[in-house]
Amino acid sequence: MTELDKAIWKTPFRPYILLFLWSFSLWIGVIHSGYVSLDTPWLVVNNPILSSGSYNQISTIFTDISLGTRLVLGAEYLPMRDLSVLLDFALFGDRFAFHHFSNLLLYLGSVLLLLRIAIELFGKSGRIWLLVLLFAVHPIHVESVAWLASRKDVLSLFFICLAILSFLRSSRPMLWACVFGMCAYWSKNTAITLAPILVVLSVYYKKEDWKSPRWWRQWIPLAMCFGVGLFITMYVGGQVAMFAPPRSDHSLGILSITAQAWVAYAQLLFLPLSLSIFYVEPVEGWYFSSVLGLVFIVICISFPLFYKKKATALGLAWILFGLLPVSQITPIQNLIADRYLLLPSIGLIFIGADYVEKQRMPYLVFFACLLFSFLTHQRIQVWHSSETLWRDLIEKQSREPRGWTALAGYYIEQGNATEAETVLRTGLRVLPDNPQIYQSLGTLYYKTGELSRAQLMFEMALAQDNTLRKAQNNLSLILHKEGESEKALNIATELCKQHPLYETGWNTRAAIALDVKKYDEAESSLEQAHRLNPYAVSVLVNYGNLAYLRQDYPRAKMWWERSLMLDPEQSHAKAGLEHLKTLSPAP
């Protein structure tokens, strides 16, 4: 036993305590009362289902797969994720420091489970402990731990670790693999990669005979569970248009883009020096990075089959299986993201296990732990506010327009129009004629009442990209205010055709139709908007307006009262109800 082993394994619980203390002292910075503006407000903070904290919503979370409910819950069927957020609100309300603490506990729990898994596979060793520590302090995980909207990542990881440990140690491995596997899958759908990982563990480490019919039969329950889960995922995904258009029209183009993405993944895994919330996507073409990425993919596929060092083979297989769901098999919204590497990064533990016994390797791993700890500490600070997050994105990925538009959006919310315009004008110098930046400039001028300048910016944005939702929506509102209601209605109608799941567009079309007394068109648009978001207050208010204009005062009262249940400060609904009291006879 080496001196390192003696220092760490002095008592049975000492390695777990040391790992927890190092990790907790590093990650404690994620606990604060704030949150970033990316997805968190609508998905968590102001979510009408989850933020209620009501146990009555549990049945909605698990059984309601209607379009409106799924869109409100993030356009996915992830009931375990949603249940965990609901429980946070039930226990802690809007004290978001505790929500962050929940994320951290799930992550630290996963780290401790990984240590137990590593011991089960490789034995008690201080060097194996160092590899688990390397995973625990990896800066690529900051996005998953620090971002409240990324609860699904840490929750899924926790259940995956439980499933693997149960599979290795339990007397009923497949039962618990199914139970924890489905919990992981219903936390995040990429947990479907658990199945091939368990298969590899069965052959490589449990030494089970894969030629036996009994071996094949044992996987049937797990396959059925994941099959049901996948069916629900595809059904919900088809409803909510979850999948993005393909990045290329032919398979070679998709392969070249995927290969470049894998190069980025490899860099983020082994040298995470320039992490970002978004990355500029690679474009179709066979460049040096494409060839390099293709080599990496081939290695991850072939080594598990032929390489003699089984831990390295398993590590590469783990990376392969972890990245497959985000490798354009089904096109996804973001091609590259830090959170995609949370599960694949476990492969580093296994790859290192074959080499960590070499003489100088523990020193290199320890140095990497120190470096990663420093990088993680720095990265955590970035996630403390929206401003620091978006400024970091601009510095790291200046050609990604979302950095400029998001930072400007933050300043608009803060009432700092001058700083917002400065950011967007700077962005236009970096990205000339970018339609998204023009759209944000239009939004800025619209909110400051400069309608003519706003109209010009929206028109310039649509000249570059005629599918921009916000530009079309706001342009139709401006034209309506200027008296060009028919033109405004036509633009809103085209918007709804292009983006049939855009509730705001349908509501805007309804509002314009109401003003020009096209009540049937208004009603049909409101039906669509309400179907997409049953909790949208502005839609409920417009339903009340429609009923009032049709002199159906009881229904007007019903809709306005319903809107006030969701937003007690809704001024138009309050005024409408007060006006109804003055009518004779009283409704």
Side-chain angles (χ1 to χ4, degrees):
M1 181 176 284
T2 67
E3 291 300 319
L4 178 63
D5 292 338
K6 292 177 182 178
I8 294 177
W9 294 97
K10 191 172 183 179
T11 63
F13 295 105
R14 189 170 188 175
Y16 298 95
I17 294 171
L18 291 175
L19 182 62
F20 179 84
L21 290 177
W22 186 318
S23 302
F24 184 78
S25 62
L26 173 65
W27 286 95
I28 194 172
V30 302
I31 303 174
H32 59 95
S33 60
Y35 54 86
V36 297
S37 57
L38 179 62
D39 289 343
T40 309
W42 69 270
L43 186 59
V44 179
V45 177
N46 300 315
N47 189 289
I49 296 175
L50 304 182
S51 64
S52 68
S54 170
Y55 298 115
N56 295 328
Q57 298 289 4
I58 294 177
S59 61
T60 300
I61 288 171
F62 279 91
T63 64
D64 189 348
I65 58 173
S66 64
L67 177 61
T69 298
R70 288 304 115 197
L71 287 173
V72 169
L73 291 175
E76 295 176 282
Y77 182 78
L78 300 176
M80 295 304 296
R81 185 274 313 267
D82 297 334
L83 178 62
S84 75
V85 177
L86 182 77
L87 289 175
D88 271 357
F89 276 106
L91 294 172
F92 312 123
D94 60 359
R95 292 173 290 174
F96 293 107
F98 290 97
H99 294 242
H100 285 292
F101 186 58
S102 296
N103 267 24
L104 179 56
L105 284 183
L106 287 167
Y107 180 69
L108 295 180
S110 302
V111 167
L112 296 178
L113 288 170
L114 273 174
L115 178 58
R116 188 66 191 89
I117 291 168
I119 293 171
E120 189 71 24
L121 295 175
F122 307 116
K124 294 181 179 180
S125 165
R127 301 179 181 196
I128 294 299
W129 183 89
L130 279 176
L131 290 173
V132 178
L133 177 63
L134 186 68
F135 172 88
V137 301
H138 204 302
I140 201 73
H141 303 158
V142 174
E143 179 177 306
S144 299
V145 182
W147 188 20
L148 289 182
S150 196
R151 168 64 59 85
K152 59 184 179 182
D153 292 282
V154 288
L155 188 63
S156 177
L157 176 66
F158 180 74
F159 283 122
I160 285 174
C161 291
L162 280 176
I164 293 172
L165 186 58
S166 299
F167 180 76
L168 294 174
R169 290 185 54 83
S170 173
S171 59
R172 305 186 70 180
M174 293 312 301
L175 170 64
W176 293 111
C178 289
V179 172
F180 292 131
M182 287 311 298
C183 288
Y185 185 81
W186 281 340
S187 300
K188 186 174 183 179
N189 297 151
T190 53
I192 197 169
T193 58
L194 173 66
I197 288 172
L198 293 180
V199 169
V200 174
L201 287 172
S202 168
V203 175
Y204 272 77
Y205 285 95
K206 298 183 77 173
K207 305 296 184 182
E208 295 180 341
D209 183 11
W210 64 272
K211 297 178 182 179
S212 166
R214 183 180 178 182
W215 183 87
W216 289 93
R217 286 196 299 270
Q218 73 174 333
W219 301 105
I220 293 175
L222 187 65
M224 292 177 64
C225 288
F226 279 123
V228 170
L230 186 61
F231 174 80
I232 296 174
T233 298
M234 299 305 292
Y235 175 79
V236 172
Q239 280 196 106
V240 302
M242 180 172 60
F243 306 111
R247 265 67 173 189
S248 174
D249 296 330
H250 52 88
S251 56
L252 282 179
I254 293 174
L255 180 61
S256 72
I257 294 172
T258 302
Q260 293 175 71
W262 274 60
V263 170
Y265 291 142
Q267 179 183 340
L268 294 172
L269 270 177
F270 295 101
L271 200 64
L273 297 178
S274 188
L275 303 180
S276 177
I277 182 62
F278 295 124
Y279 297 91
V280 176
E281 290 193 358
V283 295
E284 179 182 346
W286 286 99
Y287 313 103
F288 175 72
S289 59
S290 306
V291 177
L292 198 62
L294 192 59
V295 170
F296 183 36
I297 293 172
V298 171
I299 289 173
C300 288
I301 294 173
S302 60
F303 272 41
L305 299 176
F306 305 110
Y307 198 54
K308 293 183 179 179
K309 292 183 179 294
K310 65 180 183 180
T312 300
L314 178 59
L316 289 169
W318 201 302
I319 293 173
L320 171 69
F321 297 142
L323 288 180
L324 276 180
V326 293
S327 296
Q328 296 297 291
I329 295 175
T330 53
I332 52 180
Q333 299 296 335
N334 293 305
L335 186 60
I336 304 170
D338 293 356
R339 60 190 176 276
Y340 296 166
L341 290 168
L342 180 62
L343 179 60
S345 61
I346 296 175
L348 297 179
I349 299 174
F350 293 86
I351 293 173
D354 275 331
Y355 306 99
V356 77
E357 298 301 327
K358 292 186 177 180
Q359 185 175 3
R360 297 186 181 276
M361 197 65 176
Y363 299 101
L364 292 175
V365 176
F366 183 71
F367 174 77
C369 289
L370 293 177
L371 175 61
F372 281 12
S373 295
F374 172 75
L375 294 174
T376 294
H377 174 74
Q378 296 295 103
R379 187 68 186 157
I380 287 172
Q381 308 309 309
V382 170
W383 277 87
H384 272 204
S385 75
S386 300
E387 183 177 17
T388 54
L389 182 66
W390 300 128
R391 284 205 173 277
D392 177 79
L393 174 56
I394 289 172
E395 292 171 7
K396 305 277 185 62
Q397 302 282 327
S398 62
R399 300 200 65 78
E400 170 54 67
R402 284 175 289 186
W404 303 102
T405 59
L407 182 59
Y410 167 79
Y411 286 129
I412 291 172
E413 289 179 3
Q414 300 300 311
N416 193 343
T418 302
E419 190 66 28
E421 184 171 18
T422 300
V423 168
L424 292 171
R425 293 295 178 185
T426 305
L428 276 179
R429 287 196 290 271
V430 178
L431 298 169
D433 294 326
N434 183 271
Q436 291 173 292
I437 297 180
Y438 280 140
Q439 177 178 250
S440 290
L441 275 168
T443 302
L444 169 63
Y445 296 141
Y446 182 75
K447 291 191 174 184
T448 56
E450 302 174 76
L451 297 187
S452 59
R453 297 182 74 186
Q455 180 176 343
L456 176 62
M457 290 297 106
F458 288 137
E459 288 172 346
M460 291 175 69
L462 292 170
Q464 301 290 331
D465 181 356
N466 64 1
T467 66
L468 292 175
R469 304 188 310 183
K470 293 180 181 178
Q472 292 181 77
N473 186 75
N474 290 334
L475 180 59
S476 64
L477 289 172
I478 290 172
L479 291 173
H480 179 54
K481 287 182 178 181
E482 294 178 344
E484 299 183 59
S485 296
E486 285 301 323
K487 186 176 179 180
L489 189 58
N490 290 336
I491 292 175
T493 300
E494 182 61 28
L495 167 62
C496 294
K497 288 180 181 178
Q498 288 184 358
H499 303 283
L501 299 181
Y502 186 41
E503 163 249 316
T504 302
W506 287 107
N507 191 44
T508 295
R509 184 175 185 269
I512 297 171
L514 275 176
D515 284 350
V516 297
K517 302 188 183 332
K518 294 186 176 182
Y519 298 149
D520 290 340
E521 286 190 38
E523 184 173 23
S524 63
S525 296
L526 288 173
E527 287 173 356
Q528 289 293 332
H530 187 59
R531 184 172 72 93
L532 295 172
N533 187 354
Y535 304 92
V537 173
S538 58
V539 175
L540 301 179
V541 170
N542 276 334
Y543 256 128
N545 295 341
L546 174 62
Y548 177 82
L549 291 171
R550 285 177 165 172
Q551 298 185 355
D552 188 348
Y553 301 134
R555 287 185 63 81
K557 180 182 179 182
M558 178 195 72
W559 287 114
W560 286 335
E561 286 178 342
R562 190 177 297 182
S563 70
L564 288 173
M565 290 175 63
L566 294 171
D567 180 9
E569 302 304 317
Q570 221 295 322
S571 58
H572 184 89
K574 282 183 176 181
L577 290 173
E578 288 299 319
H579 177 69
L580 288 180
K581 293 178 182 178
T582 67
L583 299 180
S584 180

